[in-house]
């Protein structure tokens, strides 16, 4: 077979999308050799294609990675995943299956994971975390009473280059005048979102969301917290767990703030930001460089909701991503950093 020339996913025609999907359905076991499959990433992340047929084929061949294949999969597939999970004795397989079930994400999936948390199987001892943390892989979790808490939003908007004087709904790394007590560098509003803009209504924030921290301290402070008010106010919470040695120069803070990124006019697929790319997204699923990580709210202790994945590389600032989260009830923002 001759290899066809590489075409970036965004340029695939509807026929090519269909052909790639069919090819994956027919050869889904290839994901067991390399689950980071470019065609699959193109289908899911760039084209937002989720296929019941692909999920059925994957289950049949016991392909459990990447778990996104099973995002909102139909009931018969969910039942199949549950049956496999209840019969396996292998901790790794159990972990993978819990992620798949988390991606499927319906009430029966919740019930199953909750039951496994209440009545742990022998494989639980070999895993680091509970089923409620595996559920987070699907963007949700449950509390001790089995009540669901959604941890991400089912809408995703990328940040793209544009003109902020014409569109001020989103602003990243806006420099502030006040300074970080840890290092003396100037603080930044990492993310400012106008929840009243019709594109951002999905956040359910009837006013301004602001997350404030120190650019220099962010990799060490992990996480940084701030409190916001709907009228645009934001106060960072100190002390940090750890700070940086050398403060960033004021000009560098200004330069990062002087970026051209604005909210795109149209939403993107939910997993658009969930790849090794220099893409920043509001809502949807992020790409976790390390394990998924939802920060507990410092006030109420509940896991916070993911608002944004911001790519440092998009700004040529440093390696990795910044994850911005919110506890809507307590009006607290958190920011944490991941890199390889
Ligand atoms: Zn600092
Ligand atoms: Zn809270």
């Amino acid at each position: 077979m001759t290899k066809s020339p590489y075409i970036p996913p965004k340029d695939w025609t509807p026929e090519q999308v269909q052909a790639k999907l069919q090819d994956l359905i027919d050869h889904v076991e290839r994901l067991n050799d390399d689950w980071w499959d470019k065609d699959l990433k193109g289908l899911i992340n760039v084209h937002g294609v989720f296929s019941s047929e692909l999920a059925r084929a994957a289950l049949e061949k016991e392909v459990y990675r990447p778990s996104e294949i099973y995002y909102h999969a139909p009931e018969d597939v969910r039942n199949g995943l549950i049956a496999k999970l209840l019969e396996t004795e292998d901790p790794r397989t159990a972990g993978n299956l819990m992620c798949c079930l988390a991606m499927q994400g319906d009430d029966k999936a919740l019930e199953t994971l909750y039951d496994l948390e209440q009545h742990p199987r022998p494989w639980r001892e070999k895993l680091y975390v509970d089923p409620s943390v595996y559920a987070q892989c699907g963007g949700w979790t449950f509390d001790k009473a089995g009540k669901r808490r959604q941890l991400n939003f089912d809408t995703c908007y990328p940040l793209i280059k544009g003109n902020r004087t014409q569109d001020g709904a989103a602003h990243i790394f806006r420099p502030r005048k006040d300074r970080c007590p840890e290092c003396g560098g100037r603080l930044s509003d990492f993310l400012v979102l106008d929840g009243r803009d019709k594109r951002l209504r999905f956040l359910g924030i009837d006013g301004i969301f602001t997350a404030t921290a120190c650019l220099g301290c962010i990799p060490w402070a992990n996480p940084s917290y701030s409190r916001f008010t709907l009228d645009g106010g934001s106060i960072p919470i100190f002390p940090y767990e750890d700070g940086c040695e050398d403060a960033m120069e004021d000009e560098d803070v200004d330069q990062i703030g002087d970026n051209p990124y604005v909210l795109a006019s149209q939403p993107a697929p939910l997993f658009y930001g969930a790849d090794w790319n220099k893409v920043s997204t509001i809502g949807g699923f992020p790409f976790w460089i390390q394990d998924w990580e939802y920060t507990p709210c410092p006030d109420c202790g509940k896991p916070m909701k993911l608002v944004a994945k911001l790519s440092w590389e998009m700004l040529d600032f440093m390696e990795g991503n910044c994850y911005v989260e919110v506890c809507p009830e307590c009006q607290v923002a958190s920011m944490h950093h991941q890199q390889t």
Side-chain angles (χ1 to χ4, degrees), residues 108-339:
K108 184 80 189 163
L110 186 157
E111 209 179 284
T112 305
L113 294 178
Y114 180 63
D115 191 56
L116 287 169
E117 186 144 324
Q118 302 295 308
H119 309 101
R121 299 287 168 115
W123 45 253
R124 169 63 188 88
E125 286 173 27
K126 295 274 189 330
L127 299 174
Y128 293 108
V129 294
D130 269 326
S132 54
V133 178
Y134 277 92
Q136 296 180 358
C137 158
W140 54 279
T141 189
F142 51 87
D143 63 14
K144 295 270 174 277
K147 188 168 170 284
R148 182 190 293 265
R149 181 171 171 89
Q150 195 60 35
L151 299 181
N152 68 358
F153 295 98
D154 62 0
T155 303
C156 175
Y157 275 88
L159 297 177
I160 57 165
K161 287 184 179 171
N163 184 341
R164 201 176 299 116
T165 52
Q166 285 164 10
D167 184 352
H171 196 161
I172 51 173
F173 305 117
R174 185 176 69 186
R176 292 170 54 120
K177 295 274 179 275
D178 48 347
R179 291 183 180 273
C180 169
E182 307 282 345
C183 73
R186 270 169 56 204
L187 297 171
S188 305
D189 291 328
F190 276 34
L191 182 62
V192 187
L193 295 173
D194 187 347
R196 297 160 304 184
D197 186 284
K198 69 175 192 317
R199 291 164 293 178
L200 294 174
R201 292 265 167 78
F202 70 88
L203 294 170
I205 295 172
D206 190 22
I208 316 276
F209 167 79
T210 312
T212 304
C214 171
L215 278 168
C217 286
I218 181 74
W220 287 271
N222 252 359
S224 312
Y225 295 108
S226 61
R227 286 180 203 285
F228 65 96
T229 49
L230 296 175
D231 60 3
S234 175
I235 300 168
I237 302 176
F238 292 104
Y240 288 157
E241 200 169 292
D242 208 350
C244 68
E245 304 276 301
D246 297 303
M248 272 178 67
E249 298 292 338
D250 287 2
E251 304 85 79
D252 295 338
V253 176
D254 279 335
Q255 202 195 332
I256 288 166
D258 189 26
N259 64 75
Y261 290 98
V262 299
L263 196 69
S265 58
Q266 297 297 324
L270 269 191
F271 287 82
Y272 188 71
D275 201 355
W276 284 104
N277 52 20
K278 298 182 184 183
V279 168
S280 294
T281 42
I282 311 298
F285 282 80
F287 175 63
W288 301 104
I289 296 174
Q290 297 156 27
D291 284 338
W292 61 89
E293 188 181 358
Y294 291 91
T295 309
C297 169
D299 285 6
C300 69
K302 292 178 187 163
M304 298 173 81
K305 292 185 80 166
L306 185 101
V307 177
K309 164 217 163 191
L310 304 177
S311 160
W312 297 123
E313 286 156 51
M314 187 177 88
L315 300 168
D316 291 323
F317 177 47
M318 60 176 161
E319 271 183 35
N321 293 330
C322 174
Y323 305 89
V324 182
E325 297 176 359
V326 65
C327 178
E329 293 90 356
C330 305
Q331 294 193 351
V332 171
S334 88
M335 291 138 278
H336 70 269
H337 169 88
Q338 284 189 356
Q339 67 181 74

Side-chain angles (χ1 to χ4, degrees), residues 37-164:
D37 185 276
K38 285 203 167 57
D39 284 352
L40 183 67
K41 292 303 266 179
L43 288 169
I44 290 180
N45 300 43
V46 182
H47 290 275
V49 171
F50 297 97
S51 155
S52 305
E53 240 190 296
L54 179 61
R56 284 192 189 104
L59 178 68
E60 164 90 34
K61 303 278 187 197
E62 303 191 325
V63 172
Y64 304 135
R65 294 180 82 185
S67 53
E68 291 95 301
I69 303 170
Y70 297 99
Y71 181 73
H72 288 189
E75 286 178 20
D76 59 300
V77 175
R78 177 254 284 153
N79 289 341
L81 290 169
I82 292 173
K84 302 269 188 198
L85 177 57
L86 297 182
E87 94 195 6
T88 190
E89 288 172 11
D90 175 50
R92 238 178 107 88
T93 307
N96 289 340
L97 279 162
M98 284 195 282
C99 287
C100 298
L101 215 44
M103 281 292 175
Q104 197 278 335
D106 72 2
D107 287 346
K108 184 80 189 163
L110 186 157
E111 209 179 284
T112 305
L113 294 178
Y114 180 63
D115 191 56
L116 287 169
E117 186 144 324
Q118 302 295 308
H119 309 101
R121 299 287 168 115
W123 45 253
R124 169 63 188 88
E125 286 173 27
K126 295 274 189 330
L127 299 174
Y128 293 108
V129 294
D130 269 326
S132 54
V133 178
Y134 277 92
Q136 296 180 358
C137 158
W140 54 279
T141 189
F142 51 87
D143 63 14
K144 295 270 174 277
K147 188 168 170 284
R148 182 190 293 265
R149 181 171 171 89
Q150 195 60 35
L151 299 181
N152 68 358
F153 295 98
D154 62 0
T155 303
C156 175
Y157 275 88
L159 297 177
I160 57 165
K161 287 184 179 171
N163 184 341
R164 201 176 299 116

